[in-house]
Amino acid sequence: MRIDTRIAERLKKIHPSPTLAITSKAKQLKSQGCDVVSFAAGEPDFDTPDFIKDAAICAIKNGFTKYTPTTGTSELKKLISDKFKKDNSIDYPSSQIVVSCGAKHSIFNALLALVNPKDEVLIPVPYWVSYPEMVHVCEGIPRFIKTSAKNNFKITVKDLEKHSSPKTKVFILNSPSNPTGSVYTKEELLDLADICVKKNIFVISDEIYEKLIYDNLKHFSIASFNKDIYDLTITVNGLSKSYSMTGWRIGYLGAPLDVVEAVSKLQDHSTSNPTSIAQKAAEAALGGKEDFIKELACEFQKRREYCIMRLGAMKKISCVVPRGAFYIFCNISKTGLDSLSLAQRLLDETYVALIPGDGFGEPDYVRISFATSMEQLEKGMNRLEEWLNKV
């Protein structure tokens, strides 16, 4: 067997993460005792609340350690259905919900259920690193829609119409966005929904950061507007960001029944059910008070304001104020360095780790996460400012 035929062609199209070298080196330096400040985190730095951990411990002690239904326990799906109604004004009965091993898994399942070879999937740029690679695995074709800082990295109706074609099957929407923190208004979403209905384009709406929105803005779910867009939308969410449960791996989707049935069959033969213990923890999270989430959002807003203030005083870097999530997407073109070179040098010379924009489709940008303590933010911003003055 020839070497070049050993691996499936669909996997040869997947690119390794350009951030891997940075994150691996940062961990190596830290293990060697170096004082590394990480602006790379894609997860809250807060611990999972005790009442959620207690529910998991109780599940273990009570022997809730066996298989559950593939799509999740009836109790958890009922809570998710209630959550969709209360928070998003969407009516997804339990029969239209699938619980998976994280929101990433839910998105992947949705794409596998919808995308045929050569189908086109519209992805705004900058994008979360996994979107195009998932499309490649499905043997679809990513079609990128370039956005600009002038429009807060949001696409317009004209953009969507211009880039869609008879081959377009899916549009991936991420609001609030990773990496930009952009948040679409109700009016903007209504306009995009009209185009998707007109052209019969499915929407995968990734809403994992919905609880982390600032400046008194409100989150809107595109599926909530009318039956036409509801029938074309797969709404994806999870507990990782809002409840600081990244490692628990619980995500979920709500979708039309035929899509849910397809995803269920797929999950039957891949992962089966998500972890039983994590599902009990998720039940506690969704069934409890949201005090933790409010505290989380409040703290992140304080950190965002501090970082924006510090970055605004730096001459060789600029950014758009994020309205959601916990990232700041910074233009570094004035440094004369591409994002990968800047990230490597910054880590080598100052022990500050951030994520290059290459993996998000923007080599002139870097992503700074403020999901770390104020002490670490201050130390990292001091180092970054001093280093930029020397470049």
Side-chain angles (χ1 to χ4, degrees), residues 48-56 76 79-80 83 86-87 211 238-240 242-245 248 250 252 277-293:
T48 304
D50 285 341
F51 77 94
I52 297 173
K53 292 191 286 186
D54 290 343
L76 179 54
L79 286 166
I80 292 170
K83 182 263 175 222
K86 177 173 71 75
D87 292 348
K211 297 291 186 179
L239 282 74
S240 291
S242 53
Y243 291 94
S244 199
M245 292 177 66
W248 297 80
I250 293 290
Y252 54 85
I277 300 154
Q279 289 189 68
K280 281 297 181 186
E283 287 177 28
L286 291 173
K289 295 181 179 180
E290 294 197 351
D291 295 354
F292 173 80
I293 300 175

Side-chain angles (χ1 to χ4, degrees), residues 162-194:
K162 177 182 177 182
H163 288 84
S164 60
S165 77
K167 295 181 180 179
T168 303
K169 186 70 176 289
V170 176
F171 163 50
I172 298 180
L173 172 67
N174 182 207
S175 177
S177 160
N178 175 9
T180 67
S182 60
V183 175
Y184 283 82
T185 66
K186 182 178 182 179
E187 292 70 28
E188 290 167 338
L189 290 173
L190 279 165
D191 288 342
L192 295 176
D194 286 344

Side-chain angles (χ1 to χ4, degrees), residues 104-150:
K104 177 186 285 190
H105 187 206
S106 296
I107 296 166
F108 197 18
N109 280 346
L111 284 167
L112 282 169
L114 293 173
V115 177
N116 291 309
K118 308 301 182 184
D119 280 346
E120 296 182 357
V121 178
L122 298 177
I123 304 175
V125 181
Y127 45 74
W128 179 49
V129 294
S130 293
Y131 292 150
E133 309 311 329
M134 289 178 179
V135 174
H136 285 310
V137 173
C138 298
E139 300 183 59
I141 301 172
R143 293 298 186 201
F144 299 112
I145 305 176
K146 181 82 170 176
T147 66
S148 71
K150 291 179 181 178

Side-chain angles (χ1 to χ4, degrees), residues 55-313:
I57 292 168
C58 184
I60 294 171
K61 289 182 176 179
N62 290 338
F64 194 77
T65 56
K66 307 298 183 182
Y67 295 130
T68 75
T70 292
T71 59
T73 65
S74 58
E75 295 84 0
L76 179 54
K77 292 204 292 182
K78 175 62 167 61
L79 286 166
I80 292 170
S81 177
D82 292 344
K83 182 263 175 222
F84 273 129
K85 286 179 184 176
K86 177 173 71 75
D87 292 348
N88 309 101
S89 300
I90 313 176
D91 184 14
Y92 287 129
S94 295
S95 60
Q96 289 179 227
I97 290 167
V98 178
V99 186
S100 300
C101 305
K104 177 186 285 190
H105 187 206
S106 296
I107 296 166
F108 197 18
N109 280 346
L111 284 167
L112 282 169
L114 293 173
V115 177
N116 291 309
K118 308 301 182 184
D119 280 346
E120 296 182 357
V121 178
L122 298 177
I123 304 175
V125 181
Y127 45 74
W128 179 49
V129 294
S130 293
Y131 292 150
E133 309 311 329
M134 289 178 179
V135 174
H136 285 310
V137 173
C138 298
E139 300 183 59
I141 301 172
R143 293 298 186 201
F144 299 112
I145 305 176
K146 181 82 170 176
T147 66
S148 71
K150 291 179 181 178
N151 195 39
N152 295 314
F153 300 108
K154 293 187 283 187
I155 69 165
T156 65
V157 170
K158 289 183 179 179
D159 294 328
L160 192 59
E161 285 192 300
K162 177 182 177 182
H163 288 84
S164 60
S165 77
K167 295 181 180 179
T168 303
K169 186 70 176 289
V170 176
F171 163 50
I172 298 180
L173 172 67
N174 182 207
S175 177
S177 160
N178 175 9
T180 67
S182 60
V183 175
Y184 283 82
T185 66
K186 182 178 182 179
E187 292 70 28
E188 290 167 338
L189 290 173
L190 279 165
D191 288 342
L192 295 176
D194 286 344
I195 299 301
C196 290
V197 169
K198 174 183 168 185
K199 294 178 175 286
N200 199 36
I201 298 170
F202 282 98
V203 179
I204 295 179
S205 183
D206 181 357
E207 304 181 11
I208 191 68
Y209 293 97
E210 69 161 335
K211 297 291 186 179
L212 301 177
I213 292 187
Y214 317 117
D215 306 323
N216 296 315
L217 295 182
K218 185 178 178 182
H219 172 77
F220 292 94
S221 294
I222 196 168
S224 68
F225 296 148
N226 55 63
K227 187 179 185 303
D228 290 335
I229 191 62
Y230 172 91
D231 287 339
L232 287 169
T233 301
I234 296 85
T235 307
V236 175
N237 213 318
L239 282 74
S240 291
K241 314 301 181 181
S242 53
Y243 291 94
S244 199
M245 292 177 66
T246 51
W248 297 80
R249 308 315 300 136
I250 293 290
Y252 54 85
L253 61 77
L257 190 57
D258 58 339
V259 177
V260 164
E261 289 174 347
V263 168
S264 178
K265 285 192 289 185
L266 176 62
Q267 197 158 294
D268 277 344
H269 299 290
S270 54
T271 61
S272 296
N273 63 276
T275 305
S276 59
I277 300 154
Q279 289 189 68
K280 281 297 181 186
E283 287 177 28
L286 291 173
K289 295 181 179 180
E290 294 197 351
D291 295 354
F292 173 80
I293 300 175
K294 292 175 182 176
E295 291 173 10
L296 195 73
C298 183
E299 178 60 26
F300 279 143
Q301 179 151 343
K302 291 177 185 175
R303 295 178 185 181
R304 180 201 66 157
E305 290 167 359
Y306 173 77
C307 290
I308 292 297
M309 181 268 292
R310 292 298 306 273
L311 291 167

Side-chain angles (χ1 to χ4, degrees), residues 2-23:
R2 295 197 338 249
I3 295 295
D4 62 350
T5 62
R6 286 168 60 90
I7 305 301
E9 287 297 320
R10 73 177 71 86
L11 293 182
K12 292 178 183 178
K13 296 179 181 179
I14 299 178
H15 302 96
S17 171
T19 67
L20 186 61
I22 297 295
T23 53

